[in-house]
C-alpha cells in the first residue's frame, strides 16, 4: 500500500515539478564542461551542434574552454575574440573600474573611450583574467581525508597543482559535498581597457529596463590581456605584450533565426536548485523582504547624492548599480516564486520523497527524518538570520560607502587598543599603516549619502528587531543616559564641558517629550557627526596627532560593539549550528533524490566554476495575450528615446547613424539592425559577459541579463518563460566600427559571413 502511494505521489509530483532533470527539449541545466560530451553530446547534435562535443572541453588540445575567461576571480565572464588577447565582456562587468579611471574632466564612463592604439589602452586596477587549464575529480581523496583532514587535504591538493607562476588552484564541492573537484587556472593580472561605449549605450534603459524584455542595451566592453615575453602571466609593465590565447572565437555576422541552436560557457555564481519548500518559504516571507528594505535605504540615499553632484556620481555609481541590480532581483524573485506556486510544487516533491523513504525500512532509517529536521532547523534560526541581515547592512554600507562602517570602526578599535596597550614601536607601525590605508578607506566616501544610510539602518535595526535582540545602547539612549554625552571629551576645555552640561540641562524637557525612536535617531545623528570613523578629515588629523582619549570617547565605538556583541552572544552560535547541520541534511537529501531517480542526470548547483548550457533562440508568451518576439532592433531604441528621461538618452551620433540606416555589414537581411535577442540557455549572475555561440562554435552575442519572468530561476527554472538576454554581436560590431570608429579592433577579429 505504501509503495503504491509513493508511485502515485511521485508521478503527480513529476508532472508539476521538473527540478532535477529537464524534460526532453528543455534547456535547463548548468553542466560541468568536462562531462557534457558524454552526458548530452548526442542530444545537442540533434538540436544543431555542428562541432564534435569533445571539442567543447579538452585538456590536451585547444578547445572552446580555452577561450573562456573568468574575470577577477568570478565576478563575470569574458571571451577571447582575437589572437592578440582581445576580450569581450559586459559593460556592467567593469563598471566600477572604468568609473575609477574617469574624472569630471575626462568622463570615460559617460562618454565612452576608443583608444587610438594599444599603447593608449589604460590599465584597469584589480581586474584579472583567468584561463581554465583543467578540471579534476578529487572526490575520493577528499572523502578519504574525512572531516578532520579536509582542509589539510585541500591545501595539499592545491599546492600540488600550483606548479608554475600564475597558476591558481581551487577546490570546489558539488551537491553539498557529495563530490569534489579541483579547478586549475592560469591568471593574468595585466588587463587593460581596449574600448567601451558611452554609458547611454552600455546601460541604455538603466534601472527601468533592468531584468526586462524587450531590451535595447549595448552592454559590452572590450578588454585586452597582456603577458610577459614568454606569453605567461606577468605583473603590469609597459614592456608586456598582448597575450596569445590557445583559442579565440570566430565571429558570425550571418544573423540568427528563431529555433537556432545556442550554447554558453561561463562562470555562473550560485544557484539553489535543491532547496526544500521550507527554505523557499523562508526566502519569500523573511529573507527577500529584508533584502528589499535594507537595499532600498542604500539605493535611495545614494541616488539623491548622485543626482546632486557629478563628482559624487562617479564615486557611488558602481555601488549604486550593484545595489539596484539585486534590489530589483529580489523583488522579481519573490513575485515569481509566489506567482508560480513554487513552495507548493516543492511540497509535492517532498511528499513523494517521504513516501518513497517510508516505503522501505532501510530507506526510512537513512532518509526518513531529513525533511522534518530541515523544517525544524529553519524555524529555530529564523530570528537569528533576520538579525544577521540587519547587522551586515548596518555595518557594510555606511562610512566610506563600499568600505563599510565595520571596516572603518575596526580600524578605530584597533587604534584605541594600540594607543592604550601597545609598545611604542608597535604603536608607530600601526599608525603608519593607518595613514597609508586612509585614501583607499575613504575613496568612495560621500557624507550626505553615508549619513542617511546609517540613520536609515539604525531606524530599521530598532523597529524591526524582537525584544530579545534589541541593543542595550538603544535602551540607554531612550532612558536619557546617552542623550547629551555625544562629544569627544578630550577635545573640550573645562569651560566647554561646563557649557555642555548647561545645554544638557536646558534640553532635558525637550528630550523627554520625544519618542524612543526620535531619541535614538537624534543621538545617532549627532554621534555620526562626532565620530572619527565617519569623518576622514578628523581621522587624518588624529593620525597626525594621536590621543587615546579621542578613540576612547568615540561615540559610535560603543554602539558598534553592542551591535556585534548581540550577534556574537545571541545569533552567531545559532547560525553556525544551522549552517553546519543544514549542509549535511541537504547533502543527504540530494543523495536520496539521486537514489530515488537512478536513471536521471543531476547537474550540480552553480558555484562560480565554469559551466556549459545549451538551448535555442526563442521568444516566449505570458498569459493568454502577450507574446514576445526573440529579437529587438534599433527601431526600438528610437521608440524609447526620450530627451527628458535620463534612462532613455541616445547620443546624437548614434541617432544619426540609425536614421541614416548606416549599419555597414551588420544589418539583417531585411535591412534592420538587430540589437538584442533571447535564448533558452540556463544562466545566472556571474554568466554576465559569457559568449553565446552557434552550433559551429562561432560567437553570435554576449549574455548580459535574464528576463523578469526568470527571476526565480536560481531556485526554479520555468522552461516556458526563462530566457537569457543577449547583446547581438552585430550590434556590438556596429557600435565599435561605426560609432567608435575603431576599425583597427575589427581588423584583428576573425569575422565569418
Amino acid at each position: 500500500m505504501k509503495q503504491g502511494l509513493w508511485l502515485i505521489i511521485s508521478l503527480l509530483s513529476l508532472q508539476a515539478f521538473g527540478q532535477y532533470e529537464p524534460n526532453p527539449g528543455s534547456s535547463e541545466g548548468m553542466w560541468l564542461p568536462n562531462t557534457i560530451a558524454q552526458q548530452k553530446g548526442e542530444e545537442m547534435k540533434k538540436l544543431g551542434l555542428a562541432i564534435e562535443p569533445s571539442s567543447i572541453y579538452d585538456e590536451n588540445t585547444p578547445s572552446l574552454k580555452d577561450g573562456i575567461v573568468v574575470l577577477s576571480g568570478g565576478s563575470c565572464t569574458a571571451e577571447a575574440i582575437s589572437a592578440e588577447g582581445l576580450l569581450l565582456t559586459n559593460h556592467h562587468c567593469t563598471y566600477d573600474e572604468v568609473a575609477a579611471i574617469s574624472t569630471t574632466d575626462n568622463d570615460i564612463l559617460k562618454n565612452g573611450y576608443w583608444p587610438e592604439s594599444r599603447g593608449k589602452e589604460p590599465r584597469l586596477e584589480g581586474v584579472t583574467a583567468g584561463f581554465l587549464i583543467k578540471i579534476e575529480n578529487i572526490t575520493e581523496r577528499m572523502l578519504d581525508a574525512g572531516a578532520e583532514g579536509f582542509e589539510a587535504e585541500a591545501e595539499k591538493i592545491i599546492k600540488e597543482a600550483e606548479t608554475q607562476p600564475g597558476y591558481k588552484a581551487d577546490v570546489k564541492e558539488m551537491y553539498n559535498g557529495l563530490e569534489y573537484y579541483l579547478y586549475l587556472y592560469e591568471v593574468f593580472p595585466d588587463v587593460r581597457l581596449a574600448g567601451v561605449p558611452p554609458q547611454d549605450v552600455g546601460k541604455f534603459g538603466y534601472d527601468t529596463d533592468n531584468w526586462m524584455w524587450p531590451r535595447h542595451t549595448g552592454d559590452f566592453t572590450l578588454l585586452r590581456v597582456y603577458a610577459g615575453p614568454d606569453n605567461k602571466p606577468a605583473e603590469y609593465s609597459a614592456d608586456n605584450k598582448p597575450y596569445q590565447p590557445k583559442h579565440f572565437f570566430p565571429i558570425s555576422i550571418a544573423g540568427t533565426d528563431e529555433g537556432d541552436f545556442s550554447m554558453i560557457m561561463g562562470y555562473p555564481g550560485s544557484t539553489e536548485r535543491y532547496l526544500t519548500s521550507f527554505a523557499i518559504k523562508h526566502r519569500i516571507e523573511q529573507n527577500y523582504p529584508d533584502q528589499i528594505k535594507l537595499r532600498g535605504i542604500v539605493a535611495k540615499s545614494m541616488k539623491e547624492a548622485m543626482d546632486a553632484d557629478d563628482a559624487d556620481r562617479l564615486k557611488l555609481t558602481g555601488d549604486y548599480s550593484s545595489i539596484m541590480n539585486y534590489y530589483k532581483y529580489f523583488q522579481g524573485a519573490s513575485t515569481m516564486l509566489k506567482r508560480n506556486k513554487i513552495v507548493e510544487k516543492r511540497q509535492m516533491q517532498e511528499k513523494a520523497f517521504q513516501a518513497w523513504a517510508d516505503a522501505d525500512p532501510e530507506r526510512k532509517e537513512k532518509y526518513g527524518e531529513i525533511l522534518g529536521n530541515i523544517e525544524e532547523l529553519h524555524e529555530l534560526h529564523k530570528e537569528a538570520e533576520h538579525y544577521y541581515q540587519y547587522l551586515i547592512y548596518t555595518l557594510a554600507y555606511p562610512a566610506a560607502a563600499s568600505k563599510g562602517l565595520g571596516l572603518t570602526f575596526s580600524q578605530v578599535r584597533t587604534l584605541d587598543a594600540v594607543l592604550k596597550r601597545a609598545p611604542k614601536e608597535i604603536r608607530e607601525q600601526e599608525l603608519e599603516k593607518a595613514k597609508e590605508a586612509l585614501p583607499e578607506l575613504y575613496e568612495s566616501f560621500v557624507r550626505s549619502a553615508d549619513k542617511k544610510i546609517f540613520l536609515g539602518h539604525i531606524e530599521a535595526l530598532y523597529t524591526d528587531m524582537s525584544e530579545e535582540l534589541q541593543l542595550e545602547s538603544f535602551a540607554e539612549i531612550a532612558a536619557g543616559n546617552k542623550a547629551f554625552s555625544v562629544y569627544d571629551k578630550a577635545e573640550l576645555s573645562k569651560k566647554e564641558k561646563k557649557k555642555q552640561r548647561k545645554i544638557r540641562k536646558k534640553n532635558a524637557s525637550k528630550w523627554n517629550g520625544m519618542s524612543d525612536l526620535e531619541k535614538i535617531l537624534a543621538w545617532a545623528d549627532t554621534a555620526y557627526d562626532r565620530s572619527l570613523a565617519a569623518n576622514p578629515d578628523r581621522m587624518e588629523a588624529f593620525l597626525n596627532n594621536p590621543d587615546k582619549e579621542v578613540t576612547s570617547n568615540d561615540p559610535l565605538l560603543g554602539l558598534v560593539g553592542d551591535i556585534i556583541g548581540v550577534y556574537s552572544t545571541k545569533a552567531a552560535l545559532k547560525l553556525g549550528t544551522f549552517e553546519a547541520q543544514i549542509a549535511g541534511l541537504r547533502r543527504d537529501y540530494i543523495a536520496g533524490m539521486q537514489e530515488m531517480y537512478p536513471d536521471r542526470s543531476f547537474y550540480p548547483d552553480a558555484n562560480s566554476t565554469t559551466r556549459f548550457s545549451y538551448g535555442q533562440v526563442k521568444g516566449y508568451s505570458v498569459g493568454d495575450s502577450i507574446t514576445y518576439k526573440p529579437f529587438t532592433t534599433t527601431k526600438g531604441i528610437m521608440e524609447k528615446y526620450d530627451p527628458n528621461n535620463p534612462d532613455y538618452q541616445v547620443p546624437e551620433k548614434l541617432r544619426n547613424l540609425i536614421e541614416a540606416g548606416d549599419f555597414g555589414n551588420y544589418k539583417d537581411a531585411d535591412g534592420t539592425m538587430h540589437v538584442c535577442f533571447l535564448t533558452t540557455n540556463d544562466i545566472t549572475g556571474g554568466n554576465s559577459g559569457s559568449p553565446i555561440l552557434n552550433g559551429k562554435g562561432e560567437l553570435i552575442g554576449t549574455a548580459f541579463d535574464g528576463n523578469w519572468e526568470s527571476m526565480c530561476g536560481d531556485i526554479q527554472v520555468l522552461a516556458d518563460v526563462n530566457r537569457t538576454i543577449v547583446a547581438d554581436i552585430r550590434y556590438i560590431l556596429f557600435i565599435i566600427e561605426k560609432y567608435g570608429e575603431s576599425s583597427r579592433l575589427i581588423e584583428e577579429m576573425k569575422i565569418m559571413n
Side-chain angles (χ1 to χ4, degrees), residues 113-122 193-196 742 744-745:
Y113 181 61
W114 307 99
E116 296 175 1
S117 65
R118 292 178 187 173
K120 294 186 178 181
E121 295 174 348
L193 181 64
V196 61
S742 288
R744 73 173 188 87
L745 293 172

Side-chain angles (χ1 to χ4, degrees), residues 9 12 88 119 125 130 227 229 254-255 278 320 342 358 369 421 425 446 451 460 474 580 618 663 689 702 710 738:
I9 296 176
L12 289 172
L88 175 65
E125 292 278 356
F278 318 112
Y320 175 76
I342 302 304
D358 290 344
E369 296 182 1
R421 293 185 287 275
E425 183 180 342
V446 175
K451 188 173 185 179
F474 288 164
K618 191 175 183 180
F663 303 128
T702 183
S710 71
K738 292 292 185 176

